[in-house]
Amino acid sequence: MHLAELPEAVRTRVIAAAAVAVAAAPIEQLPAAVAAVARFAPAKRARSGAAVLAAAVESDAGFRALVATAVRDLAGPSAADSPGAYRPAADTPVALTDSPAADEADDVTAVALAYLAGAEVPQAALRRLRDQHSLAAARRRITELEREIDALAGRLAGESAAGGSAGIRPDANSSNGSAAELARLAAQAQNLQGRLREQGVRLRQARDEAEAARAELQELRHTAAQQRDRQQAEVARLEDRVAMLNRRNEAMHTATVTGREAQQRERGAADRRIELLLTALAQSVTGLRREWSLQSGGELPGDRVAAELRAGHRPAAPVSRVEQVSELLAVPGAHLIVDGYNVTKTGYPQLTLTDQRDRLIRSLSALAARTSAEITVVFDGAAVRTPPPAGRKIRVLFSPPEVIADDVIRRLVAAEPVGRTLLVVTSDRAIADDVAAAGAQVVPSELLLRVVHPLG
């Protein structure tokens, strides 16, 4: 679109901005023709140099950019009052529309900047400016018609007054001429009134169209503002969501790394504990071999059993020395099972059963403190209850109803794995034979009393 095709208000704004731009720009940056205009007085630049400035704006892109900057400077809060703002002629009546001057100035600025930038001119603003121009032209034409009607009415009144005061009685020809003139003037006045009404209708239509365009513009602005607010809110929500997901991912990554490191440390610690246990076990085995002075080449267990079968099996002889008892209790994992009342009735039968139990349990607790053996003492009597011994734990069992302590001892021996060091303290021959046949070492009750009461 060329400058000549734009509304008058836009052309005026562009030329005014160009006059300001040539005064502010260095002379060497201006085209040669415009440089001459720059030397004019400020009031003369836009008036006398308008053609030169318009040609430069049309042909020189650099100068057009300078003019665009000047247009922005002129378009401020009081853009309507700026030097380049559109103003109606001095003889133009008051505007017949409700459009504020600031809105018109905004449209002028928008169209001028779009033209100077080479962008598409906003059609809504262009339409409003053309409507304003049409309204101004209509107002001027109505004013002219009203003046013509007033002049014609005055002229008729003057002619009528002049004819009456002179007492002239026109002849038929002059009367016919005056009548014809009056008829012509009346027709002309009626024609002018019709044209005035037509202009009024067009003016109202133009005003209605301008009002509708302004309402449409306001609606578009309101809708655009709502869409912008919704988009900004949605963008903010999405940004918050992305930030939250990033924080969650970082936390999960940190937790995963920390958990993996903790698992590696735990596994390393567990492996280290197992290694220490294996090392201790190996050292214990080596120590046992050295302490027991194990020798290879001895008789195989199978050969020994075969020999015993040929010679007739006889249970092992009971332990007869205190030193043997101490050595057996020192074996790792040894288990000492005591026939409770058999021992107490052998050692201190004069005491009550309760005192017998308490004394034996205290003696066995002291023995447990000196050795690492597991100790279980069995008494007859399902209804008897006694508190557990203080200090090292001693397992105290009472036979259930209709079961004797001898059977409980037999079950304990049968439950032990083959190869574990097992000592059963009793002087009951039947129990001694059964447990000896099951592989247990039999310790007489008198011998245990000597062990737990060495000075007794």
Side-chain angles (χ1 to χ4, degrees):
M1 180 174 287
H2 298 290
L3 183 61
E5 300 173 356
L6 297 176
E8 180 184 357
V10 179
R11 296 197 303 271
T12 303
R13 174 67 61 84
V14 172
I15 297 302
V20 174
V22 298
I27 197 70
E28 61 273 7
Q29 294 183 5
L30 300 175
V34 176
V37 176
R39 299 184 179 90
F40 291 175
K44 185 179 179 182
R45 289 191 203 108
R47 184 177 66 257
S48 301
V52 176
L53 295 175
V57 169
E58 285 281 325
S59 60
D60 194 308
F63 183 65
R64 194 159 53 246
L66 293 176
V67 176
T69 302
V71 169
R72 294 189 188 94
D73 294 340
L74 292 175
S78 58
D81 298 328
S82 60
Y86 169 75
R87 295 183 180 85
D91 56 352
T92 302
V94 178
L96 297 179
T97 69
D98 297 330
S99 176
D103 291 344
E104 181 184 349
D106 292 341
D107 291 338
V108 170
T109 301
V111 173
L113 289 177
Y115 160 73
L116 293 172
E120 183 179 357
V121 175
Q123 296 300 314
L126 188 63
R127 184 172 61 253
R128 286 191 297 271
L129 290 176
R130 286 173 175 169
D131 290 343
Q132 291 290 339
H133 181 73
S134 298
L135 289 175
R139 288 197 299 268
R140 288 194 296 272
R141 182 57 181 164
I142 289 173
T143 302
E144 292 174 358
L145 292 174
E146 290 176 346
R147 289 176 179 174
E148 290 181 6
I149 291 173
D150 292 341
L152 180 59
R155 178 180 171 186
L156 291 175
E159 289 180 356
S160 298
S165 61
I168 300 174
R169 298 185 176 274
D171 55 13
N173 293 330
S174 62
S175 297
N176 292 334
S178 298
E181 179 66 16
L182 289 175
R184 183 183 66 80
L185 292 177
Q188 184 177 1
Q190 185 176 4
N191 184 32
L192 290 175
Q193 289 177 351
R195 291 169 61 186
L196 179 62
R197 286 193 297 272
E198 181 182 354
Q199 290 292 338
V201 171
R202 293 175 59 187
L203 179 62
R204 285 192 297 274
Q205 291 177 348
R207 182 173 57 195
D208 293 341
E209 291 176 359
E211 184 66 25
R214 184 166 60 254
E216 180 182 359
L217 175 63
Q218 294 296 333
E219 181 65 23
L220 290 175
R221 288 177 177 175
H222 181 67
T223 303
Q226 289 181 336
Q227 292 178 350
R228 184 180 64 252
D229 294 340
R230 285 196 298 267
Q231 291 174 353
Q232 291 177 349
E234 182 66 16
V235 169
R237 188 185 67 81
L238 292 176
E239 290 177 349
D240 293 340
R241 178 66 175 172
V242 170
M244 182 185 68
L245 292 177
N246 290 335
R247 290 194 298 270
R248 183 179 299 174
N249 290 336
E250 292 176 359
M252 293 177 62
H253 177 70
T254 303
T256 302
V257 173
T258 304
R260 188 182 299 116
E261 293 176 351
Q263 290 178 354
Q264 292 176 352
R265 288 195 300 271
E266 288 294 331
R267 182 175 179 181
D271 293 346
R272 182 59 176 167
R273 287 194 295 269
I274 294 174
E275 182 182 3
L276 291 174
L277 291 176
L278 292 175
T279 301
L281 181 59
Q283 291 175 353
S284 299
V285 172
T286 302
L288 288 174
R289 287 180 178 274
R290 184 171 56 251
E291 181 178 352
W292 292 348
S293 301
L294 298 179
Q295 298 178 359
S296 61
E299 186 179 13
L300 294 174
D303 294 339
R304 185 173 182 180
V305 171
E308 289 177 353
L309 290 175
R310 288 192 300 269
H313 177 69
R314 290 180 299 177
V319 178
S320 59
R321 295 183 297 108
V322 172
E323 293 77 8
Q324 286 181 283
V325 176
S326 299
E327 290 174 358
L328 290 172
L329 292 176
V331 175
H335 187 184
L336 178 65
I337 301 175
V338 181
D339 185 355
Y341 286 135
N342 186 273
V343 174
T344 60
K345 290 179 180 180
T346 300
Y348 22 86
Q350 72 278 6
L351 300 177
T352 63
L353 292 181
T354 301
D355 293 339
Q356 290 179 20
R357 290 195 303 269
D358 292 343
R359 182 171 180 178
L360 178 59
I361 291 173
R362 286 196 303 271
S363 300
L364 293 176
S365 297
L367 179 62
R370 299 198 305 268
T371 66
S372 61
E374 178 184 354
I375 299 177
T376 303
V377 57
V378 182
F379 296 101
D380 284 307
V384 179
R385 293 292 182 268
T386 183
R392 297 257 331 214
K393 183 175 181 180
I394 304 299
R395 185 183 293 112
V396 179
L397 300 179
F398 293 89
S399 62
E402 300 179 0
V403 177
I404 60 176
D406 298 352
D407 292 337
V408 176
I409 293 173
R410 291 185 180 94
R411 290 181 59 185
L412 289 171
V413 173
E416 292 292 342
V418 177
R420 184 179 185 186
T421 301
L422 190 60
L423 292 80
V424 177
V425 180
T426 184
S427 295
D428 188 324
R429 192 63 197 173
I431 300 176
D433 291 341
D434 291 340
V435 298
Q441 298 284 342
V442 178
V443 179
S445 297
E446 296 84 355
L447 189 57
L448 178 63
L449 291 171
R450 291 167 56 189
V451 172
V452 297
H453 301 295
L455 299 179

